[in-house]
Amino acid sequence: MAEPTTAPGFVRQALRIAAKDLRIEWRSREVVMTMTFLAVVVVLIFSFAFVVEGARPPAPVVAGILWVAVVVSGTVALSRAFDREREGEAIRSLLLSPAPRGAIYLGKLAATVCLMLVTETVLTGLCAILFAAGFDEMLARVALLLALGTVGFAAVGCIFSAALLRARGRDALLATLLYPIIVPIVIAGARGTAQLLDLKPDLEGARFWTQFLFALDSLFVTAGLWAFEPVVGGD
């Protein structure tokens, strides 16, 4: 009889933690505004470099710009994922709460993904305007690629963010540790997006990269659930 009540309780705790973080962010909008501003600046810089006399850049270029902006802005979200818990050692109170460690991890992951998706919505619209890319026809498929890539990116990033909670220079260390691990995610997302935005979309190729991202998400989230407790529990 314990199992039916345990699973809903686990999910409920994770949702409460995610809702708490999103509620705090809604009051200040500090992180999401910083992320969006940085992502827009990245896209604008690339637009001046690649848009020449109104010519549309190739699909791989547009996809690369989009995913580079996602990674740069997402790093800001991850670097701030445990910031509030660092102040006054509030992380100890969170870890002593009845919430399972896995629920804490999933709650932080869900909140980070939500913030990143808000920024990615703005990014997609901006890329469609600046690069005249065919997002309209393939919007749902591109959105799925972005969502899957975001989950995998955040799944790895939340672990490193928690591990570096008390470290000096944690922002620089986070990028150094995170970027080599997420290379497969960025490659899969950029390749799949490029195939969708091409003048002759390659739906089969994009489907392969979508499935590849789903497999990576499953691997990274499972590894994150396993690694989170020893990472945050060690002093």
Side-chain angles (χ1 to χ4, degrees), residues 141 144-145 148 188 196 205-215:
R141 294 175 184 270
L144 178 59
L145 279 171
L148 290 174
L196 290 173
R207 186 177 295 113
F208 167 78
W209 291 115
T210 302
Q211 294 170 346
F212 182 74
L213 280 175
F214 182 80

Side-chain angles (χ1 to χ4, degrees), residues 12-57:
R12 188 161 51 246
Q13 293 285 2
L15 291 176
R16 284 176 178 171
I17 291 169
K20 180 263 297 180
D21 281 2
L22 292 174
R23 208 162 36 238
I24 295 173
E25 176 58 27
W26 174 252
R27 292 171 186 161
S28 66
R29 300 181 180 84
E30 176 186 353
V31 176
V32 73
M33 293 296 288
T34 304
M35 290 170 57
T36 305
F37 174 76
L38 185 59
V40 168
V41 168
V42 170
V43 172
L44 288 176
I45 290 173
F46 279 116
S47 70
F48 286 116
F50 289 105
V51 178
V52 181
E53 297 180 356
R56 173 183 171 179

Side-chain angles (χ1 to χ4, degrees), residues 87-100:
E87 298 173 4
E89 286 294 319
I91 185 65
R92 296 186 181 274
S93 301
L94 183 60
L95 296 177
L96 289 172
S97 69

